[in-house]
Amino acid sequence: MTTQPSNEPNTVVPTCYRHPGRETYVRCQRCDRPICPDCMRDASVGFQCPECVAEGSKGMRQAQSVFGGRAVTTPRVTWALLIINVLAYAVETVNTNWVLANFTMNAYEVGYHGEWWRLVTGAFLHQPLGGSSWALTHILFNMWALYAIGPELERRLGSARFLTLYLLAALGGSVAIYLFGIAAVGASGAIYGMFGALFVLAKKLGYNAQGVLWLIGANALITFVVPGISWQGHLGGLIAGTLVAAIFAFAPARNRSAIQWGGCAAVLIILVGLVLGLPPFAVQAELGVFG
């Protein structure tokens, strides 16, 4: 039996340039290289390869939030802060005495033993179960406030600016405890800083801020009526958060990022300077030591 020679040319089937084992007849609209379904990226006409899409994105301006940060679709910083606070509470519950002894915001330990980390770690701890009648309410309220307000602030400011606001407000609360209190735990300084920020941004954007004022007023009343609450931490966080939010909101458009980050650096320097330059007044009064 004989076979007739084929009149069709002997063609080579193209394969994906990124996955040589995959046959494909689709080519990138920009570089004309063959691409398989896993490498296809939708373009205005046809498909492009991942490298051409990445190259094209370099020249595109990144979307920004209202106050200069990168646009946020998923508030990852808010969720991360929630998780950190909850995990810290879980660890605190398992080993309460050790955690509180080493990480509570304690003015005496900061001022006389140089345990500066307490200025930050104390803002991620809360009243332990059994510590008081409102122990569980403490973390539940703070986490509810973070969940309710955090995503909106993060979307308005951008993730980096929101994290900076949160941490500086927390630090502001701790510095106030250092100066005028003895010891405390809780994210309330950061939460009150968020309350202040919400008011500032509402005023800047022309929204009705009356509801925020009621929120701040109601919480301020609770601060001074319910025993065992650190008014120092709340007030310090409120002042620091409001100041940082004002820096973000009212920085002029020209050189906005430089002014915003420079202003935050100035707030940080002031807070650190207060701890370096001033003694813990309430601790001195309790010990009967002055100067």
Side-chain angles (χ1 to χ4, degrees), residues 216-235:
I216 295 173
N219 281 278
L221 180 63
I222 294 173
T223 298
F224 291 100
V225 170
V226 178
I229 295 181
S230 171
W231 63 265
Q232 301 93 341
H234 290 188
L235 182 61

Side-chain angles (χ1 to χ4, degrees), residues 122-190:
F124 289 93
L125 302 177
H126 289 82
Q127 281 284 351
L129 290 173
S132 70
S133 59
W134 65 286
L136 192 59
T137 305
H138 189 202
I139 186 171
L140 288 177
F141 172 79
N142 283 343
M143 294 306 97
W144 170 82
L146 179 56
Y147 172 81
I149 302 174
E152 176 66 15
L153 289 176
E154 188 172 349
R155 291 189 180 97
R156 297 289 183 183
L157 295 171
S159 295
R161 285 165 174 78
F162 171 67
L163 179 61
T164 301
L165 168 77
Y166 185 94
L167 293 177
L168 285 177
L171 182 60
S174 294
V175 171
I177 295 168
Y178 166 79
L179 293 174
F180 308 114
I182 303 296
V185 291
S188 300

